[in-house]
């Protein structure tokens, strides 16, 4: 089938790379100090207050300086953020309101949006992040990975991969306001010519193949439905059949909806038929383990019980890592010791928060157990005193998201099977039409000059 055709040393060369279809991409964010990110915003305020109260050598130690950031570094404010731009040691300023971000796939966390604290915040992403933007995120290639090669977010993603393989972040639009699609010039025109009226819609049916317009959003939806991992990046087979395209775009939109979690005017994710996970026994203040009973579809969070939890949600992995275990480890790491002590994964900045002996870091599964941090964890040691009520709501929604995505996998495989042997728009055709190679300018961020940005020490920024 198509998935097998893309396997091998370099994938199938007739399938264009996503990098050739959405050419402007940005590397993952790199905070340089894990304490600027947390599963809850109150923790970030507490860390900020402890840092700003400290003086001299203690502040230097808590700050956790790096080559790119120290308390004496002056940098420009992040686009759209009114934070101080002078040296933190001289004028920290007020606590900036935390922003919601996507930490790796499916994990919504909070970040202090102060450029003085973040080694590589990728300002070009903040410049185009608004209510119209969507971000496609591909993680680095992991052999034998059965999880999605690509996911989408309405939140600013940090682009981290559970397996630690660096990937790329691809905004759907190059400018704020949903303007200038991040597509290779000429791609939409070629698709319109090759797919004709069927590709533009009007081919009704029960396979999601109606009401499809050839837009940047439909290209992203198609990519979500068919993206195939390869060592060189995601490959995206392009059909020459309009009905096949329309069916794939319909499926891609179904894959997109639960990932956006109600953003862009959509509904919060819900399982069909009124089925939904419930808390059957209260989650304790400090759950230490996460286990799953497939017979009863019960997720055991310490002594707490949630059901029904479909097996597909429990087994859902990206880069070989179970998403539910990883999510749980990151939160119990923040409450792993007496009082406010965070766990090993947060302290070392790995983003995987894999406790010794658990299945979350190595993808072996079988339950998770929170680990303990180093004695001196600095600001990472500041965290909530126990399990937060909002985490229970977030866990229920994450179960729903993963169950919905798993429930669409059979249809995704069927679509890939239809692609096998179907007429394709190959890379050779894209080259012949002048769509490829990608112009160098399409790989660079657009100039955004319609708003003021403050540079270091209050100067005007030059964009």
């Amino acid at each position: 089938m198509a998935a097998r055709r893309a396997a091998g040393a370099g994938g199938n060369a007739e399938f264009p790379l996503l990098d050739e279809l959405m050419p402007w991409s940005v590397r993952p964010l790199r905070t340089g100090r894990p304490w600027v990110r947390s599963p809850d915003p109150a923790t970030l305020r507490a860390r900020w207050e402890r840092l700003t109260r400290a003086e001299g050598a203690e502040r230097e130690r808590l700050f956790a300086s790096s080559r790119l950031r120290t308390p004496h570094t002056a940098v420009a404010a992040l686009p759209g953020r009114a934070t101080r731009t002078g040296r933190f040691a001289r004028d920290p300023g007020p606590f900036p309101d935390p922003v919601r971000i996507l930490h790796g796939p499916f994990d919504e966390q909070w970040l202090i949006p102060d450029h003085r604290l973040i080694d590589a915040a990728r300002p070009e992403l903040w410049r185009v992040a608004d209510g119209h933007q969507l971000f496609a995120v591909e993680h680095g290639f992991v052999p034998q990975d059965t999880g999605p090669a690509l996911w989408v977010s309405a939140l600013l993603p940090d682009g981290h991969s559970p397996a630690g393989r660096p990937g790329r972040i691809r905004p759907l639009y190059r400018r704020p306001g949903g303007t200038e699609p991040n597509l290779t010039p000429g791609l939409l025109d070629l698709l319109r010519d090759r797919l004709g009226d069927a590709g533009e819609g009007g081919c009704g049916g029960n396979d999601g193949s109606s009401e499809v317009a050839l837009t940047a959003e439909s290209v992203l939806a198609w990519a979500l439905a068919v993206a195939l991992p390869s060592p060189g990046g995601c490959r995206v087979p392009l059909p020459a059949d309009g009905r096949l395209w329309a069916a794939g775009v319909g499926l891609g939109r179904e894959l997109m909806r639960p990932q956006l979690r109600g953003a862009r005017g959509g509904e919060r994710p819900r399982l069909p038929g009124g089925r939904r996970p419930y808390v059957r026994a209260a989650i304790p203040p400090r759950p230490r383990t996460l286990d799953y009973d497939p017979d009863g579809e019960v997720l055991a969070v310490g002594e707490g019980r949630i059901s029904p939890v479909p097996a597909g949600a429990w087994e859902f992995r990206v880069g070989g890592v179970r998403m539910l275990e990883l999510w749980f480890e990151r939160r119990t790491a923040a409450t792993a010791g007496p009082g406010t002590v965070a766990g090993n994964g947060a302290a070392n900045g790995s983003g995987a928060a894999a406790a010794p002996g658990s299945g979350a870091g190595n993808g072996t599964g079988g339950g998770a157990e929170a680990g303990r941090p180093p004695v001196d964890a600095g600001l990472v040691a500041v965290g909530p005193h126990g399990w937060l009520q909002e985490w229970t709501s977030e866990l229920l929604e994450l179960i729903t998201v993963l169950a919905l995505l798993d429930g669409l996998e059979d249809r995704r495989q069927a679509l890939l099977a239809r692609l096998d042997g179907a007429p394709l728009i190959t890379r050779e055709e894209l080259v012949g039409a002048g769509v490829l190679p990608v112009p160098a300018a399409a790989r660079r961020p657009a100039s955004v000059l319609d708003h003021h940005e403050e540079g270091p020490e209050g100067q005007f920024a030059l964009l």
Side-chain angles (χ1 to χ4, degrees):
M1 60 182 295
R4 288 196 292 270
R5 289 164 65 190
N12 193 314
E14 68 182 297
F15 300 163
L17 291 165
L18 182 63
D19 185 63
E20 296 173 311
L21 307 181
M22 299 180 68
W24 175 40
S25 68
V26 180
R27 288 179 294 174
L29 278 64
R30 190 174 71 252
T31 63
R33 49 206 50 79
W35 60 262
V36 301
R37 185 188 62 241
S38 173
D40 72 291
T43 287
L44 296 179
R45 177 179 289 277
R47 291 172 179 174
W48 175 279
E49 290 176 351
R50 180 175 173 187
L51 177 65
T52 54
R53 285 197 306 265
E55 297 179 354
E58 176 65 3
R59 177 181 283 188
E60 294 272 355
R61 184 187 71 83
L62 292 174
F63 188 94
S65 296
S66 64
R67 181 175 60 85
L68 295 176
R69 292 292 185 270
T70 76
H72 308 282
T73 305
V75 295
L78 286 171
R81 300 289 147 185
T83 55
R84 294 286 197 270
T85 58
R87 291 167 175 78
F88 192 90
R90 188 178 66 225
D91 179 19
F95 174 64
D97 290 336
V99 296
R100 198 74 153 145
I101 65 166
L102 189 71
H103 178 42
F106 311 118
D107 189 353
E108 296 185 352
Q109 295 204 16
W110 297 89
L111 178 75
I112 300 176
D114 191 321
H115 206 184
R116 300 171 298 176
L117 309 180
I118 304 172
D119 278 10
R122 313 303 180 199
E124 59 271 40
L125 291 179
W126 296 76
R127 200 166 285 128
V128 299
D130 62 12
H132 302 274
Q133 187 65 267
L134 295 175
F135 298 95
V137 187
E138 57 178 320
H139 64 80
F141 178 70
V142 178
Q144 310 305 317
D145 182 17
T146 58
L150 184 70
W151 62 90
V152 66
S153 174
L155 297 174
L156 182 75
D158 63 14
H160 283 268
S161 164
R165 307 289 181 92
R168 306 293 291 190
I169 303 169
R170 302 182 188 277
L172 183 58
Y173 299 104
R174 292 168 49 82
R175 298 180 185 276
T179 58
E180 193 175 332
N182 179 24
L183 298 176
T184 298
L187 176 63
L188 283 180
D189 289 339
L190 181 139
L191 290 175
R192 291 187 181 104
D193 289 343
R194 293 291 272 112
L195 300 178
D197 292 339
E200 290 280 7
C203 54
N206 296 321
D207 58 356
S209 59
S210 62
E211 298 183 8
V212 174
L214 280 165
T215 63
E217 185 270 339
S218 66
V219 173
L220 175 57
W222 172 263
L224 277 178
V226 303
L228 300 168
S230 81
C234 290
R235 290 198 176 272
V236 181
L238 294 175
D241 182 316
R243 291 185 64 88
L244 188 55
W245 167 269
V249 170
L251 175 59
R253 287 175 174 165
E254 289 189 58
L255 289 164
M256 191 182 299
R257 273 194 289 271
Q259 297 183 57
L260 297 185
R261 306 193 193 190
R264 307 298 178 266
E267 295 183 352
R268 306 299 298 192
R270 286 195 228 170
L271 292 174
R275 197 168 186 254
R276 57 181 295 187
Y278 286 95
V279 177
R280 309 295 180 174
I283 297 175
R286 293 183 182 279
R288 311 299 300 146
T289 58
L290 187 73
D291 292 293
Y292 182 67
D293 172 17
D295 295 330
E297 292 190 315
V298 176
L299 186 69
V301 188
E303 295 78 36
R305 297 293 183 268
I306 296 175
S307 70
V309 175
W314 169 252
E315 292 294 344
F316 199 99
R317 302 172 189 250
V318 178
V321 179
R322 275 198 183 106
M323 292 294 95
L324 284 177
E325 284 187 327
L326 179 58
W327 185 94
F328 175 77
E329 293 261 348
R330 286 172 173 165
R331 278 142 187 86
T332 53
T335 58
T340 56
V341 180
N344 294 330
N348 64 26
S350 67
S358 78
N362 55 27
T364 58
E369 182 174 355
R372 286 186 177 273
V375 174
D376 182 10
L379 290 175
V380 174
V382 177
H385 290 277
W387 184 269
L388 301 178
Q389 184 175 357
E390 55 262 36
W391 290 352
T392 301
S393 300
E394 292 174 14
L395 177 56
L396 294 173
E397 182 166 86
L398 177 60
I399 291 168
T400 302
V401 168
L402 299 181
L404 288 169
L405 294 177
D406 178 73
L408 294 169
E409 183 59 20
D410 285 347
R411 284 178 55 192
R412 199 180 79 84
Q413 292 300 327
L415 178 66
L416 291 173
R418 288 177 64 186
L419 273 171
D420 193 41
L424 297 175
I425 301 173
T426 63
R427 290 189 74 259
E428 182 179 3
E429 182 173 346
L430 294 174
V431 171
V435 175
L436 297 182
V438 177
R443 296 195 179 279
R444 296 191 293 267
S447 296
V448 179
L449 302 174
D450 57 353
H451 61 285
H452 165 74
E453 292 182 21
E454 185 174 316
E457 301 285 6
Q459 305 173 57
F460 284 104
L462 296 177
L463 307 184

